[in-house]
């Protein structure tokens, strides 16, 4: 991660980049609108469940398993082929994320290891730990240069220190940095995209921005498209102020699209109850 200068709170410093404050405010207004919907006051658990399903579908789509929502609902076997395994991993991660909120602020590296273990669902000795020197990475959709294991270890430790120390940065900024850093590093031998998006989800929920988990950014990332996602990630990886701001704005737009998705679910439920 690169910031515009050495400060005691480098995440907060990113909030002063051009356009970031506007993205933060736009996201906050969108989230407030869906939380104010009349259906949310009575049926928020249903909205949360639907958002989880749609978020998992969106995350899997970005990792190569672009299934229709009804197919995700219908299927019960997620181990028969590579796409099904990706979808199964995304569903497991979405379910697991809510169980890790209390641990994240104290031990983010422990949470990331757990997320990888849940996603991989295997007993391989590479699972649940950062990759070591000489180990390859199965993440074909991200084509950024791959940092070596030593750099990965150092940057993961730095990211964890920032989370543990706390920050005054808006939730969107912190979530975007966690997401971008994990994608740029690809610290595990597999499932890095799924883990990065699950970690973004944890930050957005745990920060209090989306405490009921009804604003699935994964839906928005998928809707914006893989090409746009990877182009924005290139900006993050560049470390330039412009690139970082563009990545944060992209993540903000993804949250807003997730809000739009859940708002549509609220309105469908409202029509059904009328």
């Amino acid at each position: 991660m690169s910031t515009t200068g050495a400060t005691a709170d480098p995440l907060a410093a990113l909030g002063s980049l051009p356009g970031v404050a506007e993205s933060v405010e736009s996201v906050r207004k969108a989230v407030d609108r869906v939380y104010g919907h009349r259906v949310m006051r009575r049926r928020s658990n249903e909205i949360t469940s639907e958002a989880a399903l749609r978020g998992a579908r969106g995350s899997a789509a970005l990792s190569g398993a672009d299934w229709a929502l009804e197919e995700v609902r219908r299927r019960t076997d997620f181990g028969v082929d590579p796409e099904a395994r990706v979808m199964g991993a995304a569903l497991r991660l979405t379910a697991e994320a809510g169980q890790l909120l209390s641990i994240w602020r104290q031990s983010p590296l422990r949470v990331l290891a757990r997320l990888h273990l849940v996603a991989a669902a295997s007993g391989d000795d590479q699972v649940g730990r950062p990759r070591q020197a000489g180990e390859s990475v199965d993440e074909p959709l991200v084509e950024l240069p791959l940092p070596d294991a030593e750099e990965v270890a150092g940057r993961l430790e730095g990211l964890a220190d920032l989370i543990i120390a706390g920050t005054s940065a808006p939730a969107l900024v912190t979530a975007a940095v966690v997401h971008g850093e994990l994608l740029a590093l690809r610290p595990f031998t597999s499932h890095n995209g799924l883990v990065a998006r699950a970690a973004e989800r944890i930050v957005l929920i745990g920060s209090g921005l989306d405490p009921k988990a009804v604003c699935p950014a994964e839906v928005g990332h998928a809707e914006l498209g893989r090409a746009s996602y990877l182009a924005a990630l290139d900006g993050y990886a560049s470390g330039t102020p412009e690139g970082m701001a563009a990545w944060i704005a992209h993540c903000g737009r993804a949250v807003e699209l997730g809000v739009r998705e859940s708002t549509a679910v609220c309105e469908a439920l409202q029509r059904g109850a009328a």
Side-chain angles (χ1 to χ4, degrees):
M1 183 187 72
S2 175
T3 67
T4 53
T7 69
D9 190 350
L11 291 176
L14 295 174
S16 64
L17 292 175
V20 169
E22 290 82 356
S23 293
V24 168
E25 181 63 18
S26 183
V27 166
R28 168 52 67 189
K29 288 180 178 177
V31 172
D32 286 347
R33 284 195 296 273
V34 73
Y35 271 81
H37 197 287
R38 62 184 298 183
V39 170
M40 278 291 295
R41 293 193 290 271
R42 296 178 288 109
R43 303 175 70 175
S44 64
N45 288 342
E46 292 174 70
I47 309 303
T48 296
S49 296
E50 189 65 20
L53 184 69
R54 295 179 185 223
R57 193 216 72 81
S59 189
L62 287 169
S63 287
D66 192 359
W67 290 11
L69 186 61
E70 290 312 311
E71 177 69 4
V72 182
R73 293 189 202 280
R74 183 186 68 81
R75 288 285 287 269
T76 57
D77 184 353
F78 294 99
V80 295
D81 57 63
E83 283 196 9
R85 287 193 289 273
V86 168
M87 185 61 69
L91 289 165
R92 291 192 300 273
L93 284 174
T94 301
E96 186 75 9
Q99 309 303 312
L100 299 172
L101 296 172
S102 62
I103 305 171
W104 174 255
R105 283 291 301 274
Q106 286 73 44
S107 186
L109 296 184
R110 179 181 163 196
V111 168
L112 293 175
R114 175 62 184 170
L115 290 174
H116 187 241
L117 187 67
V118 168
S122 81
D124 293 348
D125 63 4
Q126 298 174 333
V127 170
R129 61 157 175 80
R131 55 187 167 85
Q132 299 174 359
E135 292 180 339
S136 60
V137 174
D138 180 14
E139 200 71 44
L141 301 178
V142 179
E143 297 179 351
L144 292 170
L146 188 67
D148 63 28
E150 184 177 358
E151 181 180 351
V152 167
R155 286 173 62 176
L156 277 180
E157 194 68 38
L159 181 64
D161 288 346
L162 289 175
I163 299 301
I164 293 168
T167 177
S168 62
L172 172 64
V173 172
T174 304
V177 168
V178 168
H179 184 171
E181 191 73 354
L182 292 174
L183 274 182
L185 291 177
R186 282 145 291 164
F188 302 107
T189 56
S190 64
H191 299 92
N192 289 286
L194 294 174
V195 168
R197 291 184 288 276
E200 179 187 49
R201 179 181 183 84
I202 287 172
V203 175
L204 292 172
I205 298 169
S207 66
L209 177 66
D210 180 24
K212 294 179 185 273
V214 297
C215 307
E218 306 96 323
V219 168
H221 287 303
E223 185 172 336
L224 289 167
R226 193 176 298 159
S228 179
Y229 184 67
L230 295 177
L233 178 62
D234 284 345
Y236 176 87
S238 74
T240 65
E242 297 80 10
M244 296 289 284
W247 170 250
I248 294 168
H250 182 91
C251 291
R253 181 61 179 148
V255 175
E256 291 184 61
L257 290 170
V259 167
R260 187 178 73 178
E261 187 88 352
S262 287
T263 300
V265 173
C266 286
E267 292 174 353
L269 288 174
Q270 183 170 285
R271 288 193 298 272

